[in-house]
Amino acid sequence: QVQLVESGGGLVQAGGSLRLSCAASGRTFSSYAMDWFRQAPGKEREFVARITWRGGTTTYADSVKGRFTISRDNAKNTVYLQMNSLKPEDTAIYYCRARVIGSDIWGQGTQVTVSS
């Protein structure tokens, strides 16, 4: 089964940048796409971005288009979320998710805090 470990979160000032990583291990061949979600305090978890392993097709939430970039390194089984022009409203725990037929796998999350 796929296992995910996020890293790269931290505290950054508004307008700054941060790069999140999600390292996948295990049966990565069973995962066809990786997603980034985020969840702010008191809010529901929301979709941020998606990338397919094979074709690298990307999808972004409107709230992050033009600011965030999702990418993947297939050789390292790692996906990244480059976050630029960060805003306080980007503050959340960011989770990666491996799309697997029949069972999605979630990482433990990494905290991103953007100060104003």
Side-chain angles (χ1 to χ4, degrees):
Q1 187 62 272
V2 176
Q3 294 177 303
L4 307 174
V5 179
E6 300 101 327
S7 62
L11 175 65
V12 64
Q13 294 182 342
S17 298
L18 211 57
R19 185 181 68 183
L20 307 183
S21 299
C22 178
S25 62
R27 293 167 57 93
T28 56
F29 58 84
S30 66
S31 174
Y32 59 89
M34 297 289 286
D35 298 339
W36 283 101
F37 280 72
R38 66 187 182 186
Q39 187 167 22
K43 296 186 177 180
E44 296 183 355
R45 191 169 298 186
E46 65 175 349
F47 171 80
V48 176
R50 171 177 291 179
I51 188 167
T52 62
W53 280 112
R54 190 167 184 83
T57 302
T58 59
T59 306
Y60 297 95
D62 288 341
S63 60
V64 305
K65 285 182 179 178
R67 299 189 299 121
F68 291 10
T69 302
I70 188 171
S71 61
R72 86 274 196 264
D73 186 332
N74 293 61
K76 295 181 178 180
N77 292 321
T78 301
V79 297
Y80 305 93
L81 186 67
Q82 178 65 47
M83 305 183 295
N84 298 326
S85 302
L86 283 163
K87 306 174 181 179
E89 49 263 46
D90 294 319
T91 295
I93 300 175
Y94 283 71
Y95 301 89
C96 62
R97 178 180 72 172
R99 303 306 310 275
V100 180
I101 298 296
S103 181
D104 292 338
I105 306 299
W106 293 86
Q108 82 289 345
T110 185
Q111 177 70 49
V112 172
T113 303
V114 184
S115 62
S116 61

